[in-house]
Amino acid sequence: MSRVQRSDVTEVRVPPRDVDRHGQMFIASYISEAETALSNFWRARPSVSDEPAYIATRASCSLHRGLHYDDLARFSVSVNKIGGKSVGFMVMVETGNELAAEVEILWLAVRGEEHDPAPLPEDTRDWLYKFLD
């Protein structure tokens, strides 16, 4: 079960389905939970008419300390890149006072069925700058 403290932070208790036979959280689960935290964060953005769609073009995870079943993990979203047509996010995963992992996710703004790259809307860019590291 997860709870949201504010739009850029989500806390999660590691469920049994997310750990391997050695008791450590799967790398894919870090990315999945980071995407959930990013989704919560993204809901707070300003409303934009004719907003483009956003697709993930890259996701990576650097593991520092493996999480285990029932560990409380805090997923904090920040923006690490704002391009003309893309935005990069860094999700820090902490347990207690320790950094457990860093998940980097890159989104591309697109339009149409062909997913042609599109510029980020100015209102969205202005909002993102508040979270830029």
Side-chain angles (χ1 to χ4, degrees):
M1 172 144 69
S2 67
R3 64 184 166 106
V4 177
Q5 295 177 330
R6 46 182 226 236
S7 68
D8 60 331
V9 176
T10 302
E11 287 186 345
V12 175
R13 283 234 176 252
V14 177
R17 72 169 182 271
D18 287 348
V19 297
D20 64 19
R21 63 188 175 106
H22 303 290
Q24 288 202 349
M25 189 167 164
F26 295 113
I27 291 286
S29 294
Y30 289 93
I31 294 171
S32 178
E33 291 292 351
E35 288 177 322
T36 299
L38 182 51
S39 176
N40 291 334
F41 168 77
W42 196 244
R43 280 189 205 105
R45 76 189 181 287
S47 178
V48 175
S49 63
D50 196 32
E51 184 174 41
Y54 296 89
I55 58 173
T57 58
R58 184 178 65 217
S60 64
C61 180
S62 298
L63 188 61
H64 300 284
R65 174 213 182 276
L67 294 175
H68 298 87
Y69 165 68
D70 207 37
D71 280 349
L72 182 62
R74 178 182 168 132
F75 289 73
S76 302
V77 178
S78 63
V79 177
N80 67 350
K81 174 192 176 286
I82 301 172
K85 299 176 182 180
S86 64
V87 56
F89 301 95
M90 182 63 74
V91 182
M92 306 302 282
V93 184
E94 298 169 303
T95 185
N97 293 327
E98 292 183 84
L99 179 62
E102 297 170 276
V103 179
E104 189 172 4
I105 299 172
L106 182 67
W107 282 0
L108 178 66
V110 297
R111 293 200 186 279
E113 296 207 11
E114 299 298 317
H115 289 166
D116 296 321
L120 293 174
E122 283 303 313
D123 287 347
T124 303
R125 292 173 63 77
D126 292 345
W127 176 75
L128 289 167
Y129 274 112
K130 294 189 285 187
F131 300 94
L132 189 63
D133 272 339

